[in-house]
Amino acid sequence: MDLNTINSMSYEEFLDIFGNIIERCPIITAAIWSQFPFASVTELENSVYDFIESLPLTGKEGILRCHPDLAGRDLMRGTLTDESQTEQAQAGLTALTPKERETLNLLNSQYKAKFGFPFVICAKMSDKNKIMRELASRLQNEQSQELQIGIAEVKKICHLRVNDLFLNVKLPTKL
Amino acid sequence: MDLNTINSMSYEEFLDIFGNIIERCPIITAAIWSQFPFASVTELENSVYDFIESLPLTGKEGILRCHPDLAGRDLMRGTLTDESQTEQAQAGLTALTPKERETLNLLNSQYKAKFGFPFVICAKMSDKNKIMRELASRLQNEQSQELQIGIAEVKKICHLRVNDLFLNVKLPTKL
């Protein structure tokens, strides 16, 4: 995909395609449109990361709280975003045994009770066994560490989603 | 509704009910959960407004860009949020004549082309004739004025949505 194509988009076109590069936070995509044109994909991504870093701590916690639990309520209800559905499926989280799901739900609950936000990990760079080990291990951290680690994972997820869009998206023919 | 009920909610329960008090910006609801408990509804609302004010200018523009056009694409496609659908219907925007819709669409396009975000007005406090007059008039403003006016309208919309939720919401019986 040609970056010029992106740079010529209205905010509505940009939001239609890039609105979920940060899970359920279209405001961030909408905000960085103000910085058009971008000289590179990296510059586009850095705008997202800079915006996240400009937020108060509560805003960063808010970003994490917009993420679904892994193999949790939204997956069961079919209300995951398309991106999360794909990522959780690729990590094997849509095909857990009842025992595995029970363990993961218990760990997720303990994590949320301790930190006040969900466990966020770049599932696409992981698999179900690694995710469960990571979750059990990160549960031992302090809140401030976990906020930092969670936001770093959000950025990894964003990077992969942007990459996917640049590789795969079929743009409207009029552009 | 009892404020204690709200204050005892998990972030997930709070997001389920209050997630769209700022249109398509659940991150803001998710962020203010960090400030639980609230002593009053006004304090809850003020947390939202303070969060908005803490954002960089691009973030405020981002909030406006998460709002749909009045009588625009999302209304035609049936993809408005429930709250916007109700508000636009109450203002008479779902029952425009073809001529009225054409005029409104033209004004909306001119507004977006000039300012880079959509015309936002608290439709529930207005009606279709007043909205068209306001739109034509605000089109004459400077960008910085319109950003300020738009955000003030966002706060009015939020205030009415919060009020509605406190008056009408049926809480889960377990609470």
Side-chain angles (χ1 to χ4, degrees):
Chain A
M1 191 202 289
D2 184 350
L3 201 66
N4 289 334
T5 309
I6 307 289
N7 282 326
S8 67
M9 284 181 177
S10 69
Y11 72 83
E12 289 156 306
E13 291 166 326
F14 187 56
L15 267 173
D16 278 350
I17 297 178
F18 288 85
N20 207 45
I21 54 176
I22 302 295
E23 180 73 10
R24 290 182 168 131
C25 294
I27 183 183
I28 299 180
T29 303
I32 67 159
W33 186 84
S34 300
Q35 286 157 41
F36 269 27
F38 293 112
S40 65
V41 182
T42 306
E43 198 180 295
L44 185 158
E45 286 182 31
N46 284 340
S47 288
V48 172
Y49 307 154
D50 289 347
F51 187 85
I52 292 174
E53 290 309 325
S54 80
L55 292 173
L57 280 185
T58 58
K60 290 177 190 163
E61 290 168 359
I63 291 176
L64 296 180
R65 291 184 193 122
C66 288
H67 284 70
D69 284 359
L70 294 173
R73 190 180 72 163
D74 285 307
L75 190 146
M76 295 299 125
R77 287 183 184 170
T79 51
L80 284 175
T81 60
D82 291 348
E83 294 85 351
S84 278
Q85 178 70 38
T86 305
E87 290 156 2
Q88 295 203 25
Q90 284 179 351
L93 296 171
T94 51
L96 296 180
T97 65
K99 176 77 188 142
E100 287 170 334
R101 183 173 304 116
E102 198 186 322
T103 307
L104 188 52
N105 285 346
L106 181 67
L107 288 169
N108 273 333
S109 298
Q110 290 172 344
Y111 186 98
K112 289 186 286 185
K114 179 169 179 183
F115 300 119
F117 47 74
F119 173 71
V120 175
I121 189 167
C122 181
K124 223 172 169 175
M125 288 180 177
S126 200
D127 63 56
K128 64 179 183 182
N129 295 318
K130 195 174 158 206
I131 284 170
M132 296 229 232
R133 282 197 308 274
E134 275 289 304
L135 176 42
S137 155
R138 283 173 48 187
L139 199 43
Q140 309 307 316
N141 287 341
E142 296 299 316
Q143 213 253 11
S144 58
Q145 275 178 288
E146 273 309 299
L147 181 59
Q148 208 172 355
I149 295 172
I151 290 295
E153 294 295 316
V154 166
K155 292 176 184 172
K156 286 184 205 167
I157 296 167
C158 174
H159 173 67
L160 294 184
R161 289 184 181 183
V162 169
N163 262 13
D164 264 8
L165 285 167
F166 267 85
L167 290 173
N168 301 324
V169 78
K170 194 170 151 47
L171 289 170
T173 46
K174 78 173 180 70
L175 289 170
Chain B
M1 191 203 291
D2 184 350
L3 200 67
N4 289 334
T5 309
I6 308 290
N7 283 326
S8 66
M9 285 181 176
S10 70
Y11 72 82
E12 290 157 305
E13 291 166 327
F14 187 57
L15 267 174
D16 277 349
I17 298 178
F18 289 85
N20 207 44
I21 55 177
I22 302 294
E23 180 73 9
R24 291 182 167 130
C25 294
I27 181 183
I28 300 180
T29 303
I32 67 160
W33 187 83
S34 300
Q35 286 157 42
F36 269 27
F38 293 113
S40 65
V41 181
T42 307
E43 196 179 296
L44 185 158
E45 286 182 32
N46 285 340
S47 288
V48 172
Y49 307 153
D50 290 347
F51 187 85
I52 292 173
E53 290 309 324
S54 79
L55 293 174
L57 280 185
T58 57
K60 291 178 188 161
E61 290 168 359
I63 290 177
L64 296 180
R65 290 183 195 124
C66 287
H67 284 70
D69 283 0
L70 294 173
R73 189 179 73 163
D74 285 307
L75 190 144
M76 296 300 124
R77 286 184 185 171
T79 51
L80 284 176
T81 60
D82 292 346
E83 294 85 351
S84 277
Q85 178 71 37
T86 305
E87 291 156 1
Q88 295 204 24
Q90 284 178 350
L93 296 171
T94 51
L96 296 179
T97 65
K99 175 76 187 144
E100 287 171 333
R101 183 172 304 115
E102 198 186 320
T103 308
L104 190 52
N105 285 346
L106 181 66
L107 289 169
N108 274 333
S109 299
Q110 290 172 343
Y111 186 98
K112 289 186 287 185
K114 178 169 179 183
F115 300 118
F117 46 75
F119 173 70
V120 175
I121 190 167
C122 182
K124 223 172 169 175
M125 288 180 177
S126 202
D127 63 55
K128 65 179 183 181
N129 295 319
K130 198 176 156 203
I131 284 169
M132 297 232 231
R133 282 198 307 274
E134 276 289 303
L135 175 42
S137 155
R138 283 173 49 187
L139 198 44
Q140 309 308 316
N141 287 341
E142 296 300 315
Q143 214 252 11
S144 59
Q145 276 178 289
E146 273 309 298
L147 181 59
Q148 208 172 355
I149 296 172
I151 289 295
E153 295 295 317
V154 166
K155 292 176 184 173
K156 287 184 204 167
I157 297 167
C158 174
H159 173 67
L160 295 184
R161 289 184 181 184
V162 169
N163 263 12
D164 264 7
L165 286 168
F166 268 85
L167 290 173
N168 301 326
V169 77
K170 196 170 149 46
L171 290 170
T173 47
K174 80 173 180 72
L175 288 170

